[in-house]
Amino acid sequence: MKHFKESITADLLAERALFHLKYSRGKDLRAATTFDKMSCFSHAVRDMAVDGFIATQRKYLDNDVRRVNYLSMEYLIGKMLANNVVALGIVETSKEALKKLDITVEEILELDVEAGLGNGGLGRLAACYLDSLATMELPAYGYGIRYEHGIFRQEFDNGWQCERPDEWLANGYPWELIRPEYTLPVCVYGRVKKNFIPGRGSVDVWEDWQMFEAVPYDVPIIGYGVNTVNMLRLWKSQPAEGFRLDVFNQGDYVRSVEEKNWAENVTKVLYPSDYTYAGKELRLIQEYFLASCSVRDIIRRYKKTHNDFSKFAEKNVVQLNDTHPTLAIVELMRVLHDEEAMPWDKAWDITVNTFCYTNHTLLAEALEKWTVDLLQRVLPRHMQIIYEINHRFLQKLEINFPGDGDLMRAVSLIEEGPHQQVRMANLCVVGSSKVNGVSALHSELLRTKTMPEFDKVYPGKFCNVTNGITHRRWLLKSNPELTGLISDKIGEEWKKDLSLIKTFEDFAKTKAIQKRFMEIKRDNKVELCKVIKELTGEHVSPDSMFDVQIKRLHMYKRQLLKVMHIIYLYQKIKANPKVKIQASTFIFAAKAAPAYLIAKSVIKLINSMADVINHDVDVAGRLKVVFLPDYNVSLAEKIIPAADISEQISTAGLEASGTGNMKLSLNGALTVGTLDGANVEIAQHVGDENIFIFGHRTEELEELRTKGYNPWAYMDKSKDLQNVLEAIRDNIFDPTQPDLFKDIYNDITEHGDFYFYLADFEPYIKCFKKVDKLYETPSKWAEKAILNVARMGWFSSDRSIQNYCDDIWHLERTPIEMV
Ligand SMILES: *Cc1c(COP(=O)(O)O)cnc(C)c1O
């Protein structure tokens, strides 16, 4: 098949870049900064994708294909240039072209813009899925928000986290195409009135609303080695045209600007909390903003080739990434019923057949619930529709489950109480045809423990799609040396189909390959050492074991358990400076939600501990602790290839899937983990003997909870544990501030140790005895690490997307031919 990428030459690329330099930035090569060159080269690369982009959109339109619309409040994309260069197959061509711009690829890539439009795993998952969808030649659209400020930049001030605004758009974003012609209005506030309309009778009319606008910015998503170029459509809010001109004319300038600001603020900033629910009005408007303009954009596109809605659900599936875009369900009902005058039952049928919902968490504090008061004020008509959906749903239930009040209360969309609340997860389940969890364990817990009543009401609606990661970013791009070794041994085909990496297993016992594997790991560690030096000033040895815990900071993820382990080791050394201990570098990277105070205390604790341990002569470099600031996708790409140990130690039953676990294992780190989320399936794939599983299982913790868990009992049994906890309680790291970490101590003792730190402490310590012993024999370590790499093929996001296609979306591959 003809490939548009084949015509890309170094001359063409360089010429395009110089054109952009001259005509977009008004400079010649002599005056150009490195940023200018990066920007112009990125524009040139984007130009190369345009033919594919046009051909792809044309084909979808002409063939009237069924499409998936992925709605997500977050896309944690990271840098895009290197990824796109790989996808276009122009790695060598780019090197050649950049010579003509007097700059190296490395210099350019370092300056690429980091798109951090997400908090963590959920947003990164959305980015991986877009990559897989394009590569698998599937008709897909991503919908999201173009936040002016993505996830905050993290700095440390005296060990405490400080948040600084992310200014990713300050110098322009080369990958986006603004589309003002597709601007849509969005309305909020107002009231509902009954009106009589001839032919329709009495209808509810939403009026006196305030209007603003959504402008789409499209980011091309280039498939790897194929012609498909899909798009991610990001919406930016702005005041409606001619906004408040009346006020303006009367000279009330300040008021008009204030009102203008209101509209701009909607997409100003990403809410930096994850796994917590805030209930803020602006966030509600943000969620509705995404839901509303995405739904109406999908309808607009559908109407290009259809005169009625009879095929809407056949041509579109809308996947909700968590409950954040739930209002899309209500918005589609509103458009079909109110605007298109469709009878309720018909509109509802189309709606349910269009939507599918992915649940991401079982944590109670993360479940979205909006008070009826707020919803009524911001979206009065939508609140009415939600009541109507609930009314009809409960009425039907009364027929099938007469008199079952407990069931009704559990599944109702409305939670009764002093303040009535709308349960967004319930609305999603009722309004979707499929509901999936994100790992086998999580999906099972969702179905049987969190929503058993819904499983009874809707047998067969719940299913599982285990998360995945794109190996194109998380191996090919981030770990070129390991990629080269694998290709040397098994050829290149595995790059297109990660399941083929399996045959690399045959080399796990080969001494020369083990040696080469460990050399590559060491090279990657040397590279990371430079980054660590730059970011923290700390000198660490690439010959120590790199023990890595990188993820959002959360009590359920238990960074604090790692801290307890490190304090334990430190105290062993202090008690006997000659004690034999595996030389280790403990690497943390994590952002805490700005309002999550105890998580921020844990950051301070790690930094305080690092300060003392790194400079204690008794330790003599055997233990090093580094906390790398500002964890993001690019930093992850540098840390992961250098990791020996992957810490996945969440409280069993609470990590829905995890994807960091997959990235690390694919890069040959051995997992130390609980039986939680996708760790369960990773263990099944890599083999129990190639992973370190420890700690209480979900059902064991359940039993502890019901019997009455007593953290003190574990303290009484273990002097080591006592010493560790007292070190935190009394802050041995800074005697001038003895009370600094009392809250942390109280949390895991008096306040009941909700996340079972004390119950899992001893098993964790014991587990590391095995880890350390294995690390002493590099050949055995390498064998297991290689087996991890070779057996992780199943965790490609291509497999996840295939599961979605087979079980939920029923989408067909649509290859793009170039004419
Ligand atoms: C993969 C990734 C995550 C998710 O990590 P978990 O360990 O699964 O929580 C979060 N942030 C970034 C930047 C990532 O790349």
Side-chain angles (χ1 to χ4, degrees):
M1 186 164 45
K2 197 171 153 200
H3 206 295
F4 79 86
K5 297 167 183 179
E6 280 159 15
S7 55
I8 307 172
T9 63
D11 283 341
L12 178 65
L13 257 182
E15 190 189 304
R16 289 300 301 176
L18 289 168
F19 177 91
H20 281 292
L21 185 63
K22 187 166 174 189
Y23 296 104
S24 306
R25 298 189 88 83
K27 285 190 175 182
D28 64 8
L29 204 48
R30 268 179 54 203
T33 63
T34 310
F35 187 89
D36 288 328
K37 293 179 187 180
M38 182 283 293
S39 174
C40 297
F41 184 69
S42 297
H43 273 101
V45 172
R46 193 192 71 183
D47 289 352
M48 299 303 131
V50 164
D51 284 333
F53 185 71
I54 292 172
T56 302
Q57 304 310 318
R58 162 75 39 205
K59 170 105 183 188
Y60 294 166
L61 183 73
D62 290 350
N63 289 32
D64 192 22
V65 294
R66 174 171 166 83
R67 306 149 203 231
V68 64
N69 302 277
Y70 198 83
L71 264 60
S72 178
M73 286 288 281
E74 304 191 6
Y75 290 90
L76 198 52
I77 295 167
K79 295 183 175 179
M80 214 153 199
L81 177 55
N83 209 60
N84 284 347
V85 163
V86 171
L88 289 167
I90 51 169
V91 177
E92 293 309 315
T93 316
S94 296
K95 281 183 194 159
E96 207 51 41
L98 285 172
K99 280 185 196 153
K100 300 183 190 194
L101 300 192
D102 289 330
I103 195 158
T104 65
V105 177
E106 291 72 30
E107 283 173 279
I108 288 259
L109 293 184
E110 200 49 41
L111 274 195
D112 191 8
V113 182
E114 180 91 11
L117 307 183
N119 276 289
L122 174 143
R124 185 52 235 172
L125 184 77
C128 282
Y129 281 178
L130 293 184
D131 181 88
S132 286
L133 283 161
T135 299
M136 295 166 75
E137 306 181 295
L138 292 163
Y141 296 83
Y143 281 103
I145 290 180
R146 184 180 178 274
Y147 302 106
E148 191 175 325
H149 305 285
I151 188 67
F152 63 85
R153 260 190 319 111
Q154 179 193 53
E155 292 178 3
F156 296 135
D157 179 13
N158 187 30
W160 293 96
Q161 168 175 297
C162 295
E163 300 90 27
R164 306 268 178 253
D166 159 45
E167 304 283 2
W168 73 295
L169 291 173
N171 298 303
Y173 187 56
W175 301 108
E176 65 187 10
L177 291 153
I178 181 169
R179 302 282 197 193
E181 68 275 26
Y182 297 130
T183 298
L184 287 170
V186 180
C187 298
V188 287
Y189 302 117
R191 68 202 99 258
V192 180
K193 248 182 72 181
K194 285 249 182 265
N195 268 9
F196 185 82
I197 295 182
R200 285 179 68 190
S202 170
V203 295
D204 296 296
V205 180
W206 181 18
E207 52 180 43
D208 288 341
W209 27 255
Q210 292 188 38
M211 193 201 283
F212 60 116
E213 287 180 351
V215 189
Y217 288 69
D218 293 347
V219 179
I221 306 293
I222 307 172
Y224 175 81
V226 293
N227 285 324
T228 300
V229 180
N230 284 334
M231 74 173 177
L232 167 60
R233 178 156 281 183
L234 299 173
W235 300 100
K236 174 191 191 293
S237 68
Q238 67 177 25
E241 180 127 22
F243 189 82
R244 282 276 141 188
L245 219 50
D246 49 338
V247 181
F248 223 96
N249 290 342
Q250 287 156 29
D252 195 346
Y253 171 77
V254 170
R255 198 176 127 206
S256 70
V257 172
E258 273 172 8
E259 297 213 0
K260 180 174 175 304
N261 262 339
W262 167 88
E264 280 172 350
N265 283 344
V266 173
T267 56
K268 191 66 94 192
V269 63
L270 165 77
Y271 279 76
S273 54
D274 70 338
Y275 301 116
T276 53
Y277 159 72
K280 298 267 168 52
E281 182 166 331
L282 193 64
R283 166 72 182 197
L284 177 65
I285 296 176
Q286 222 177 44
E287 292 184 354
Y288 175 62
F289 175 79
L290 170 67
S292 172
C293 44
S294 304
V295 160
R296 283 174 309 123
D297 199 53
I298 295 163
I299 292 173
R300 182 191 52 72
R301 191 177 290 123
Y302 172 83
K303 280 186 166 176
K304 279 194 212 168
T305 45
H306 297 269
N307 297 321
D308 62 45
F309 282 89
S310 56
K311 291 202 161 158
F312 187 79
E314 183 187 310
K315 295 297 178 185
N316 284 289
V317 54
V318 177
Q319 188 69 40
L320 303 174
N321 195 23
D322 212 324
T323 55
H324 316 143
T326 305
L327 287 167
I329 293 172
V330 191
E331 179 72 352
L332 182 57
M333 276 307 285
R334 189 189 65 79
V335 173
L336 294 181
H337 184 63
D338 292 3
E339 293 183 6
E340 304 284 341
M342 191 181 287
W344 182 279
D345 286 334
K346 198 173 158 198
W348 183 243
D349 193 52
I350 290 172
T351 300
V352 175
N353 280 311
T354 300
F355 283 94
C356 301
Y357 156 57
T358 305
N359 174 279
H360 280 271
T361 177
L362 309 175
L363 293 182
E365 65 265 37
L367 291 184
E368 261 193 301
K369 291 172 190 172
W370 292 100
T371 61
V372 168
D373 286 348
L374 181 62
L375 262 172
Q376 209 136 43
R377 195 157 54 74
V378 178
L379 296 165
R381 178 59 188 143
H382 294 77
M383 189 59 240
Q384 256 187 351
I385 293 173
I386 292 170
Y387 273 134
E388 183 66 24
I389 294 170
N390 198 39
H391 174 69
R392 287 166 184 253
F393 168 57
L394 294 180
Q395 237 178 7
K396 272 206 182 136
L397 277 193
E398 188 54 45
I399 298 167
N400 295 327
F401 305 90
D404 194 342
D406 287 343
L407 181 94
M408 299 278 192
R409 261 185 299 281
V411 299
S412 173
L413 307 192
I414 310 290
E415 188 170 283
E416 299 298 336
H419 299 282
Q420 275 197 326
Q421 292 189 301
V422 179
R423 298 156 163 165
M424 302 308 259
N426 291 27
L427 177 50
C428 277
V429 175
V430 174
S432 299
S433 50
K434 285 276 182 184
V435 176
N436 76 284
V438 289
S439 72
L441 175 67
H442 165 71
S443 296
E444 194 56 19
L445 292 172
L446 177 69
R447 190 176 64 81
T448 61
K449 302 279 183 215
T450 313
M451 298 191 145
E453 298 86 1
F454 271 120
D455 188 43
K456 207 163 128 188
V457 174
Y458 296 124
K461 194 181 269 205
F462 288 82
C463 61
N464 172 248
V465 178
T466 301
N467 283 169
I469 54 166
T470 168
H471 62 282
R472 291 170 284 277
R473 180 177 291 265
W474 296 109
L475 186 56
L476 306 191
K477 177 190 167 245
S478 60
N479 201 341
E481 275 201 79
L482 182 55
T483 300
L485 175 64
I486 298 166
S487 290
D488 279 350
K489 293 298 142 195
I490 67 170
E492 304 279 341
E493 270 303 293
W494 68 276
K495 292 183 179 176
K496 282 201 184 134
D497 174 359
L498 193 65
S499 71
L500 300 176
I501 201 175
K502 189 99 195 143
T503 55
F504 189 51
E505 207 178 306
D506 301 345
F507 301 91
K509 284 188 188 301
T510 313
K511 289 284 173 261
I513 305 299
Q514 292 174 349
K515 193 162 157 280
R516 182 69 196 123
F517 176 89
M518 293 307 266
E519 279 168 14
I520 291 170
K521 186 59 84 179
R522 195 175 186 286
D523 289 348
N524 291 336
K525 286 162 81 171
V526 168
E527 284 306 305
L528 182 58
C529 286
K530 293 181 199 159
V531 175
I532 292 172
K533 184 84 183 65
E534 215 170 281
L535 292 176
T536 68
E538 207 58 56
H539 177 85
V540 306
S541 165
D543 296 311
S544 61
M545 184 170 81
F546 279 19
D547 182 338
V548 166
Q549 189 170 20
I550 50 173
K551 46 184 76 254
R552 279 300 284 260
L553 212 139
H554 208 293
M555 292 305 275
Y556 90 82
K557 290 180 181 279
R558 296 202 296 194
Q559 279 92 352
L560 184 56
L561 185 57
K562 185 75 247 171
V563 171
M564 289 163 67
H565 177 218
I566 299 168
I567 295 175
Y568 164 86
L569 293 173
Y570 180 59
Q571 289 178 328
K572 290 285 163 212
I573 294 178
K574 294 308 278 184
N576 170 18
K578 298 223 160 62
V579 70
K580 187 174 156 264
I581 265 178
Q582 171 59 48
S584 301
T585 300
F586 301 101
I587 298 167
F588 293 91
K591 288 174 183 171
Y596 193 177
L597 299 185
I598 193 147
K600 292 175 108 172
S601 287
V602 172
I603 292 180
K604 169 65 178 170
L605 172 57
I606 296 171
N607 281 324
S608 300
M609 176 177 80
D611 254 356
V612 170
I613 292 180
N614 294 347
H615 303 113
D616 188 321
V617 287
D618 287 345
V619 176
R622 283 180 290 173
L623 303 181
K624 283 271 182 181
V625 181
V626 291
F627 200 135
L628 304 184
D630 201 32
Y631 183 50
N632 60 21
V633 171
S634 294
L635 188 57
E637 288 173 28
K638 292 175 185 148
I639 298 171
I640 288 167
D644 294 309
I645 291 288
S646 162
E647 297 280 352
Q648 308 299 338
I649 59 179
S650 51
T651 309
L654 297 184
E655 185 72 272
S657 164
T659 49
N661 47 3
M662 301 170 190
K663 302 166 197 166
L664 282 151
S665 177
L666 180 62
N667 281 270
L670 299 192
T671 304
V672 172
T674 47
L675 273 181
D676 198 13
N679 294 353
V680 177
E681 289 150 276
I682 292 176
Q684 285 164 1
H685 279 85
V686 304
D688 291 337
E689 64 290 358
N690 301 308
I691 188 169
F692 299 99
I693 296 294
F694 76 96
H696 291 75
R697 299 157 174 250
T698 308
E699 37 326 332
E700 291 168 344
L701 294 180
E702 189 57 44
E703 200 184 315
L704 273 181
R705 278 187 200 102
T706 30
K707 278 190 183 161
Y709 170 58
N710 175 16
W712 301 108
Y714 293 88
M715 266 239 258
D716 292 342
K717 274 191 302 188
S718 164
K719 187 69 196 153
D720 286 336
L721 179 56
Q722 267 170 51
N723 290 337
V724 167
L725 290 178
E726 282 165 13
I728 296 171
R729 185 192 64 196
D730 305 335
N731 188 10
I732 61 164
F733 304 112
D734 183 0
T736 69
Q737 290 181 287
D739 289 338
L740 214 50
F741 305 121
K742 281 259 155 60
D743 286 352
I744 297 178
Y745 173 83
N746 287 340
D747 210 65
I748 58 177
T749 54
E750 277 167 47
H751 299 164
D753 188 18
F754 188 79
Y755 298 105
F756 298 97
Y757 286 85
L758 273 52
D760 276 346
F761 177 74
E762 198 186 290
Y764 189 51
I765 301 290
K766 274 196 181 149
C767 181
F768 264 90
K769 308 248 182 294
K770 285 191 271 176
V771 173
D772 292 347
K773 186 159 175 358
L774 182 70
Y775 199 74
E776 283 171 12
T777 317
S779 63
K780 285 194 181 155
W781 185 276
E783 180 183 340
K784 289 184 192 297
I786 291 169
L787 287 176
N788 267 263
V789 175
R791 293 176 176 178
M792 283 299 289
W794 190 78
F795 294 90
S796 167
S797 44
D798 298 352
R799 186 272 315 153
S800 308
I801 290 298
Q802 192 59 53
N803 289 167
Y804 274 105
C805 284
D806 295 342
D807 302 342
I808 300 178
W809 299 338
H810 310 294
L811 273 191
E812 278 171 30
R813 250 178 213 258
T814 305
I816 309 299
E817 304 91 19
M818 302 304 295
V819 285

